[in-house]
Amino acid sequence: MEKKSFLRRTFTTRRGRRLKEHLTAYIFIAPASILIFIFGIFPVFFALYVSLHRWRIVRGDMIGLKNYVTAIGNLSYVVAFFLGLGALAGVYFIVKHILKMKREQDDQPWPAIFPGLSFALMVFAFLNWFYRALPEVLDIAFKVRGLERNEIVFRDFLLEALRSENVLPAWRILLITFLVSVVVSLIILRVWRNRRNIDYQAFFSLGFIALGISIGLLTFTLKEVSAAYAAALEAGTDPGIWPQLISITSGVILLIAGWLFWRRAEKQHTDRSFWLHVLAALILLVGGWLLIGEIPMTLANGDKKVWDGLKVTAFFSLGTVPLQLIISIFLSVLLFQKLVGSNIFRIIYFIPYVTPAIASAAVFQQMFSNRHTAPVNMLLKALGLPAQQWLFEPRGVFTLIADYFGKTIPAWAAGPSLAMSVIILHSIWTFVGYNTVIYLAGLGNIPKELNDSAEVDGASGWQVFRHITFPLLSPTTYFLSLIGVIGTFKAFNTIWIFRSNLALGTTDTFSLVIFIEFFEKTRYGYASAMAFVLFGIILALTLVNNRIQGSRVFYG
């Protein structure tokens, strides 16, 4: 009865009801959180772990950033250094947010530092245990060789791995930090009665975690740079890592400072102050660009296959996404006019998207065959043009056009290969219908009264489209362009079907290069490093697109 009355007293107060609501919410989201960790977060961390090792089928020695250096040269040190600085900037913004809450709510949040620090230590203790336990668990595969494989044997080896001398102390530290963090948090909740107690604890925890990540990344990067520099000097070569790191870092800092001065110029109240800010911004921007001019020399030491794959991927993205959007918006405006049979055309345009990609790629492969009897070659001959090798042609499409007219163009203007042009055509054919349907939905959300008012005022059809329809379609365009760019950088299945050795790698996008390194060359560590490079590129493109195009989106 005493226990029951204690629980009733605990959960019937205002503070207890709020605690009960939080506990109920955490219980409901716990299964989804566990699934996301197992199938989403854990594979990412495991891939990062693999990328830091020399890993060919079996795990080798830890080699730090060497896989990344092989892929993109000394730029990997610069990126790791800036990630550490980014985590440090995250600490600044978290502290800034805490101080803002303090001013707005007139609080004293400092007691929450102690549980915040303890929870951060618990997170790092978990990462330490995970890092020590993972190799022991992976080594079970070698221990069961020659033994009967069953659940009992695996369980015994798993317990042995988790109780090893490298893992057990880390597990004890994790338990101690967990208990300490829970006790400290409960004490602060009991002693310091504040409505935003949990919020402050969470923000302080994130701040300490970001600080720890920053210190760890910066220390690890500087250690890797020093080791690589010492090894190069011992071998009698000068890698130039430190000058490149200092030059690129200084250049980026100058670019950021120039951007800040440019943003502040418009807020100045006098012409003199305005032009001084503009002049300072231009000087800083030019200086920054000159300093980061070290990047091309840094990239030159990377893997040629990586940069060739990126170039092919850039051709694929630039040749696919803009044309898809232009054709789609044109078709959507036509189909939105209530023409006779427009519903049938909507279905026809959407059919390529729902057609199995492998089947449609196989059909395109036959249509664009190098045989003279292939449908496209027969069409060219009917028009008086020479037959082409198509998927077997590594030369650039603009080079072929120049050769036909007896002209020559520089190598940098060759453009995508003819083989890649076929893949671009297939991608446009596949996704135009999908984009058209999405644009039709966007057109349906535009109030008809706006177009009618513009027409009454004497606006032409083009003016209505240019000043009303197109701006109001900006959210749809932003969504489709973002998804399109990410999709082209991740594309694999149809490109693999179209791939031919005679194209000399001119159709091998970055995702195909990663696949070849992983499955054909079994360089798991290097392929994982390349996958994280691709992830960083996609993330950077997304942020740039969000900054440039997202700021121009009009949501009505």
Side-chain angles (χ1 to χ4, degrees):
M1 292 297 293
E2 292 181 1
K3 185 177 181 181
K4 190 174 181 180
S5 61
F6 171 75
L7 292 175
R8 185 181 292 114
R9 287 198 307 271
T10 302
F11 291 109
T12 53
T13 62
R14 181 179 178 182
R15 187 180 181 83
R17 288 195 299 271
R18 188 164 176 261
L19 177 62
K20 183 179 179 180
E21 291 175 358
H22 285 147
L23 291 175
T24 304
Y26 286 130
I27 291 172
F28 272 106
I29 66 173
S33 302
I34 294 172
L35 290 175
I36 291 172
F37 175 80
I38 294 175
F39 298 105
I41 299 175
F42 172 76
V44 173
F45 278 103
F46 182 71
L48 179 61
Y49 177 82
V50 172
S51 70
L52 299 176
H53 289 74
R54 182 180 289 107
W55 203 304
R56 297 199 64 166
I57 300 180
V58 296
R59 178 175 57 88
D61 298 332
M62 183 173 180
I63 56 176
L65 295 176
K66 288 184 179 179
N67 283 325
Y68 294 92
V69 175
T70 303
I72 58 175
N74 293 337
L75 186 62
S76 56
Y77 298 121
V78 180
V79 173
F81 182 73
F82 273 100
L83 287 175
L85 292 181
L88 197 60
V91 176
Y92 166 75
F93 287 113
I94 291 172
V95 172
K96 185 178 179 181
H97 182 74
I98 292 174
L99 294 177
K100 181 182 177 182
M101 291 176 59
K102 174 182 177 296
R103 289 193 303 270
E104 291 177 351
Q105 307 297 334
D106 194 22
D107 286 335
Q108 293 297 328
W110 313 122
I113 290 179
F114 301 103
L117 178 60
S118 60
F119 277 118
L121 292 175
M122 182 193 70
V123 171
F124 289 120
F126 170 78
L127 294 176
N128 177 55
W129 170 80
F130 180 82
Y131 177 77
R132 293 177 179 275
L134 188 58
E136 299 291 338
V137 175
L138 293 175
D139 288 342
I140 294 177
F142 302 103
K143 296 178 182 178
V144 297
R145 287 180 176 177
L147 300 177
E148 181 182 357
R149 301 180 183 180
N150 54 52
E151 182 181 350
I152 298 176
V153 172
F154 176 77
R155 184 181 60 195
D156 292 340
F157 278 119
L158 180 61
L159 292 175
E160 179 184 342
L162 297 178
R163 293 172 180 171
S164 64
E165 58 182 7
N166 292 329
V167 179
L168 194 57
W171 172 251
R172 290 169 180 164
I173 293 174
L174 174 60
L175 285 180
I176 292 172
T177 53
F178 172 74
L179 294 174
V180 169
S181 60
V182 171
V183 171
V184 171
S185 178
L186 292 176
I187 291 175
I188 295 299
L189 286 172
R190 184 73 178 176
V191 174
W192 181 47
R193 296 183 177 275
N194 189 300
R195 220 162 31 92
R196 287 163 294 279
N197 195 327
I198 297 177
D199 296 336
Y200 282 124
Q201 290 189 29
F203 282 117
F204 275 115
S205 298
L206 291 175
F208 282 117
I209 292 172
L211 180 62
I213 292 174
S214 174
I215 294 173
L217 273 174
L218 293 175
T219 304
F220 176 71
T221 303
L222 295 177
K223 181 180 177 182
E224 288 287 309
V225 171
S226 300
Y229 199 82
L233 292 179
E234 186 177 349
T237 60
D238 184 8
I241 300 176
W242 286 113
Q244 291 172 353
L245 182 63
I246 295 171
S247 175
I248 296 173
T249 302
S250 303
V252 173
I253 292 174
L254 288 181
L255 288 178
I256 295 174
W259 177 75
L260 291 175
F261 269 95
W262 185 269
R263 292 290 300 272
R264 291 180 58 184
E266 62 184 11
K267 300 178 181 179
Q268 303 306 308
H269 301 290
T270 63
D271 291 342
R272 180 183 177 184
S273 180
F274 170 79
W275 287 112
L276 285 176
H277 276 75
V278 171
L279 180 61
L282 292 176
I283 293 173
L284 291 171
L285 290 173
V286 172
W289 279 115
L290 292 175
L291 287 174
I292 66 172
E294 194 76 25
I295 289 181
M297 297 176 59
T298 306
L299 299 181
N301 297 324
D303 190 350
K304 186 177 182 297
K305 295 191 299 294
V306 171
W307 304 116
D308 288 344
L310 280 177
K311 183 178 71 174
V312 173
T313 307
F315 280 140
F316 181 50
S317 183
L318 292 174
T320 301
V321 177
L323 287 176
Q324 280 180 1
L325 296 179
I326 292 172
I327 297 173
S328 299
I329 197 170
F330 174 74
L331 293 176
S332 62
V333 171
L334 286 181
L335 295 175
F336 197 71
Q337 304 303 316
K338 305 298 182 183
L339 301 175
V340 177
S342 59
N343 291 330
I344 297 176
F345 281 104
R346 292 185 186 187
I347 296 173
I348 292 174
Y349 288 134
F350 195 70
I351 285 176
Y353 181 73
V354 297
T355 301
I358 304 302
S360 63
V363 172
F364 261 71
Q365 194 176 40
Q366 295 303 315
M367 290 177 59
F368 289 89
S369 173
N370 62 336
R371 293 179 288 106
H372 288 277
T373 55
V376 179
N377 276 337
M378 291 180 66
L379 177 62
L380 290 178
K381 286 191 292 184
L383 297 174
L385 298 174
Q388 300 295 328
Q389 294 295 309
W390 297 113
L391 292 169
F392 302 93
E393 180 58 77
R395 288 182 294 171
V397 62
F398 298 125
T399 300
L400 292 173
I401 295 174
D403 290 345
Y404 180 77
F405 290 102
K407 305 292 184 180
T408 57
I409 60 173
W412 59 266
S417 68
L418 188 60
M420 175 50 68
S421 299
V422 175
I423 299 174
I424 290 173
L425 285 175
H426 176 265
S427 180
I428 293 172
W429 178 82
T430 301
F431 290 99
V432 157
Y434 170 80
N435 292 348
T436 301
V437 170
I438 301 300
Y439 269 126
L440 284 170
L443 288 170
N445 290 327
I446 298 176
K448 192 174 182 298
E449 294 79 7
L450 295 177
N451 296 337
D452 294 339
S453 300
E455 291 175 358
V456 169
D457 291 338
S460 64
W462 168 251
Q463 289 174 329
V464 170
F465 174 79
R466 171 66 181 84
H467 297 287
I468 297 177
T469 304
F470 187 71
L472 292 177
L473 283 177
S474 57
T476 307
T477 303
Y478 172 67
F479 166 75
L480 291 177
S481 62
L482 185 63
I483 297 300
V485 170
I486 294 175
T488 53
F489 271 78
K490 291 168 40 181
F492 172 79
N493 53 354
T494 56
I495 302 178
W496 182 260
I497 298 298
F498 285 121
R499 183 175 184 266
S500 169
N501 290 329
L502 294 178
L504 303 180
T506 56
T507 60
D508 290 352
T509 57
F510 203 179
S511 57
L512 262 72
V513 174
I514 296 173
F515 179 86
I516 292 169
E517 290 290 335
F518 193 93
F519 287 98
E520 293 187 2
K521 299 182 180 180
T522 63
R523 299 171 67 185
Y524 297 162
Y526 185 50
S528 298
M530 293 172 67
F532 274 97
V533 171
L534 179 60
F535 169 75
I537 293 171
I538 293 175
L539 182 61
L541 288 174
T542 303
L543 293 175
V544 170
N545 187 48
N546 182 63
R547 188 69 186 175
I548 296 175
Q549 189 179 357
S551 60
R552 293 176 171 81
V553 174
F554 178 74
Y555 290 101

